[in-house]
Amino acid sequence: SKQYEFILTDRPDPAVGLITLNRPKALNALSSPLFLELNEALLAFDADDAIGAIVLTGSERAFAAGADIKEMKDKQFADAYKSRFLENWTTLTALRKPVIAAVSGYALGGGCELALSTDIILASPTATFGQPEINIGTIPGGGGSQRLAHAIGKSRTMELVLSGRNFSAQEAERWGVVSRVVGEGEGQVVKEAIDLARTIASKSQIAVQAAKEAVNAAFEQPLYEGLRTERRLFHMTFATKDQKEGMGAFAEKRKPTFTHE
Ligand code: CO8
């Protein structure tokens, strides 16, 4: 597979793409060059028909400690605005395939926002989340104020974003920011994320894509529209071979073989 400078890519299973952020000396600070590579790797896995789900992770010490402060510190408004600084962070949210974040260590600022942009977050007990931008004279810019507010409500989001205090994996689990905290042990969170990705990849890709689109509608549309989106996608599945195979296999008491058609 392609060699990158700031990330590693791997295929722990033929149907699973793994991307590891790899700027250890900077705690995986999300520089622009890193983000270009990340987007390239995400789009390549997304376009690969053999891949059913993608896992995104960092190191034991840091998922990512934020956008690169050293790169940003002298930036001027005109340049940031004209170049749409960091707008390419939204590439991840436009993928068809599910992305699972496996978070160990620091997920701060843009690192927390990157995790929040994925579809499912699994956390190691060591994970530390936070939006500390207020401590350096700015505010979240990668969706943190919006996605946290959706996930955990106004009062908690205000407290975190205005005070800049970090929150633990346990708090993140209690509040529903992450789907679960996995057991202790080095590499455990990545292993469990790969297992989950493999499970998802064993389903019909069309059904998985439709399910992801339906759940996202709950965050992007009013309830009435979201319900209609879901129903239309549900009806759509009846035009697929995978639905015939899935329900046929159930009736015949055998395991389905999905062909993603
Ligand atoms: N940017 C650049 N370098 C970083 C960053 C960062 N965000 N975080 C850590 N580093 C570097 C340090 O400068 C240090 O480098 P060096 O060895 O050259 O001095 C190295 O990583 C190791 O860090 P520390 O020595 O500080 O390690 P500690 O264990 O003492 O502390 C912390 C770890 C607590 C994580 C600490 O490094 C820290 O506070 N980091 C900054 C956290 C932060 O404020 N993040 C938010 C950044 S702002 C942001 O993300 C805005 C997002 C906007 C997104 C917009 C999208 C559209």
Side-chain angles (χ1 to χ4, degrees):
S1 65
K2 188 177 163 174
Q3 291 298 305
Y4 293 98
E5 194 177 348
F6 304 113
I7 63 172
L8 302 168
T9 58
D10 194 7
R11 201 109 167 209
D13 181 286
V16 176
L18 172 65
I19 301 175
T20 305
L21 305 176
N22 188 33
R23 267 191 93 192
K25 286 190 187 128
L27 302 182
N28 291 332
L30 303 164
S31 63
S32 295
L34 181 152
F35 235 88
L36 288 175
E37 291 190 352
L38 175 60
N39 283 343
E40 189 182 331
L42 286 168
L43 289 169
F45 280 145
D46 198 48
D48 186 333
D49 283 341
I51 296 272
I54 301 165
V55 174
L56 175 61
T57 194
S59 67
E60 288 295 319
R61 194 165 164 226
F63 178 74
D68 191 319
I69 299 170
K70 292 164 190 167
E71 179 189 337
M72 283 186 294
K73 71 182 184 39
D74 297 322
K75 207 170 256 310
Q76 299 297 322
F77 163 76
D79 175 41
Y81 185 69
K82 285 193 295 185
S83 71
R84 300 182 164 183
F85 179 52
L86 302 183
E87 193 174 273
N88 65 354
W89 281 42
T90 55
T91 300
L92 172 56
T93 64
L95 302 185
R96 296 176 293 148
K97 312 274 171 73
V99 182
I100 303 167
V103 178
S104 290
Y106 295 112
L108 301 179
C112 186
E113 294 171 305
L114 180 63
L116 290 167
S117 304
T118 67
D119 299 303
I120 301 169
I121 307 175
L122 299 188
S124 139
T126 65
T128 300
F129 299 87
Q131 298 291 162
E133 290 90 343
I134 203 83
N135 298 329
I136 54 170
T138 184
I139 72 166
S145 67
Q146 307 303 295
R147 290 205 172 87
L148 271 183
H150 277 283
I152 68 178
K154 175 175 170 177
S155 186
R156 281 180 189 137
T157 302
M158 282 287 189
E159 183 186 339
L160 294 169
V161 171
L162 272 50
S163 74
R165 93 153 166 90
N166 293 345
F167 57 104
S168 66
Q170 293 69 30
E171 285 174 301
E173 183 180 48
R174 188 157 16 98
W175 297 340
V177 174
V178 305
S179 75
R180 60 194 156 88
V181 178
V182 306
E184 283 175 43
E186 194 172 325
Q188 187 62 21
V189 72
V190 179
K191 189 184 162 300
E192 297 218 14
I194 292 168
D195 286 348
L196 177 58
R198 192 183 290 116
T199 299
I200 292 170
S202 73
K203 317 298 181 190
S204 160
Q205 280 184 15
I206 300 176
V208 168
Q209 186 178 331
K212 170 170 163 164
E213 203 178 326
V215 174
N216 276 334
F219 297 94
E220 293 161 359
Q221 299 175 352
L223 181 60
Y224 178 77
E225 291 291 335
L227 290 169
R228 195 155 66 172
T229 297
E230 183 199 66
R231 202 163 50 246
R232 292 230 162 107
L233 288 163
F234 169 70
H235 290 162
M236 178 208 74
T237 65
F238 289 84
T240 67
K241 285 187 186 158
D242 284 346
Q243 174 270 334
K244 297 290 172 286
E245 169 63 12
M247 292 194 187
F250 175 83
E252 292 160 21
K253 300 189 189 297
R254 60 174 175 82
K255 282 191 73 175
T257 306
F258 295 117
T259 53
H260 316 300
E261 294 167 286

